[in-house]
Amino acid sequence: MPEYEITIVDSFTTERYAGNPCAVVTRAEGLAPEQMQAIAREMNLSETAFVTPSQVADVRVRFFTPRKEIPLAGHPTIVTMHALVEQSRFEVGEEPRRITQELNVGVLPVDLSRGDGGRVRVAMTQATPQFHQELDRAAFADVLGISASDLLAEAPPQVISTGTRQAMIPVRSLAVLEQVSPDLERLAALETAEGYFSTHVFALETYDPANRVHSRHFGPSSGVWEDPVTGSATGGMAAYLWRHGLLREASYTVEQGHLMGRPGRVEVEVEGEGDTPMVVRIAGTAVTVLRGSITI
């Protein structure tokens, strides 16, 4: 029976057992999509990444939750690139290096560099932001276990995509965010009905004053009850915040995972013109926690 090397890496952290864990199979040639899905279900993490050769980019990467494949993912990109550098698939020296990854949404660049202590910093450019339907305030407040008045009044809940469609739900304060307790079955039904992947809830208050936003993330329709630290949705949130005039800074940091005991920190970069965010990047570092093999 064939065996594949598999690695588990914690992303958006410099410490093991913090941030968001992800499994990656860095040489997934020969695996069929249904086998990738079976491995992701077995790992039972928010996502598992699979790397194969590409004819149009440096690598081809696919992402699977325990239930489905998704077109773009943030923390698995950080994890994948970290693992590939550790395996000497990409060399990163004093000068930053740009590579490309072929995803289901097309070819996107990733910038690799060395940060503090020689750690690999991975900066992912996401797809061009797209703004989709606004969502019913009362319905989403109810399913999150809060009141409509707890939602931020200045901007509507809305579906945003920087490669993966996700609902952006801003709340008034960190105290409200702490109180969020979603009905996961109903939230999954809303995700399916509205045609988006997951639900990102956030406040413009933080535990660490060095950061600008605190977030929580739920994806029950994909088998992810709560995600510790989310890269793709942080990019979508950055686009949302820029579009609605809530936060228009070229760079800042976002915190997430504290309420799950897995704190992490995501670096954000945004380029925009007027009300339009044009380019969104997220970045972070990672730590390997496990290396092994899985039998097919």
Side-chain angles (χ1 to χ4, degrees):
M1 293 180 289
E3 290 191 350
Y4 288 81
E5 182 179 347
I6 192 164
T7 305
I8 295 178
V9 180
D10 290 338
S11 61
F12 297 123
T13 180
T14 58
E15 300 178 2
R16 290 179 177 85
Y17 317 121
N20 200 348
C22 177
V24 55
V25 178
T26 55
R27 297 189 184 275
E29 298 93 318
L31 286 175
E34 57 268 23
Q35 292 173 312
M36 295 180 183
Q37 185 64 76
I39 292 171
R41 186 167 57 247
E42 183 72 14
M43 299 310 297
N44 201 33
L45 298 170
S46 296
E47 282 101 9
T48 299
F50 299 86
V51 182
T52 56
S54 170
Q55 295 184 348
V56 296
D58 291 301
V59 289
R60 169 81 165 106
V61 189
R62 298 175 72 168
F63 308 112
F64 289 79
T65 77
R67 291 186 182 175
K68 66 176 76 170
E69 184 174 9
I70 61 173
L72 175 146
H75 87 273
T77 292
I78 306 299
V79 163
T80 297
M81 300 305 159
H82 172 90
L84 292 174
V85 171
E86 276 200 335
Q87 295 175 11
S88 300
R89 299 270 293 275
F90 298 125
E91 297 294 333
V92 182
E94 295 182 0
E95 295 298 321
R97 177 177 181 180
R98 170 162 286 193
I99 63 138
T100 54
Q101 58 174 348
E102 179 190 355
L103 308 180
N104 287 357
V105 295
V107 175
L108 293 173
V110 178
D111 295 300
L112 307 176
S113 59
R114 294 281 180 182
D116 294 339
R119 293 186 181 277
V120 176
R121 179 183 183 269
V122 182
M124 173 197 191
T125 299
Q126 299 189 354
T128 302
Q130 296 180 348
F131 297 85
H132 300 287
Q133 73 269 28
E134 296 183 4
L135 302 169
D136 184 89
R137 296 174 62 88
F140 276 82
D142 183 59
V143 82
L144 292 173
I146 56 178
S147 68
S149 62
D150 288 326
L151 299 183
L152 192 69
E154 291 85 343
Q158 186 176 12
V159 174
I160 308 295
S161 174
T162 52
T164 298
R165 291 191 180 209
Q166 293 160 322
M168 298 295 145
I169 315 290
V171 298
R172 290 190 299 105
S173 66
L174 187 56
V176 171
L177 194 59
E178 293 172 340
Q179 295 167 11
V180 167
S181 181
D183 181 323
L184 294 171
E185 184 175 348
R186 291 172 59 204
L187 187 59
L190 280 173
E191 290 172 355
T192 301
E194 291 286 350
Y196 67 89
F197 168 65
S198 53
T199 304
H200 201 62
V201 190
F202 52 91
L204 292 166
E205 291 183 356
T206 56
Y207 294 113
D208 183 344
N211 303 322
R212 298 292 279 117
V213 188
H214 191 97
S215 308
R216 297 179 68 184
H217 191 86
F218 308 94
S221 63
S222 300
V224 180
W225 311 133
E226 182 166 359
D227 196 37
V229 191
T230 315
S232 59
T234 296
M237 179 183 70
Y240 173 95
L241 292 169
W242 185 288
R243 177 67 169 263
H244 292 286
L246 299 173
L247 182 55
R248 289 185 179 170
E249 296 177 9
S251 62
Y252 53 91
T253 53
V254 173
E255 62 183 35
Q256 190 180 337
H258 296 60
L259 300 179
M260 300 181 69
R262 298 194 64 101
R265 182 173 174 272
V266 185
E267 300 172 43
V268 176
E269 298 175 3
V270 186
E271 299 175 16
E273 296 180 2
D275 292 340
T276 305
M278 309 295 291
V279 178
V280 176
R281 301 182 190 88
I282 59 100
T285 58
V287 185
T288 299
V289 298
L290 182 148
R291 297 181 181 90
S293 60
I294 192 164
T295 302
I296 302 301

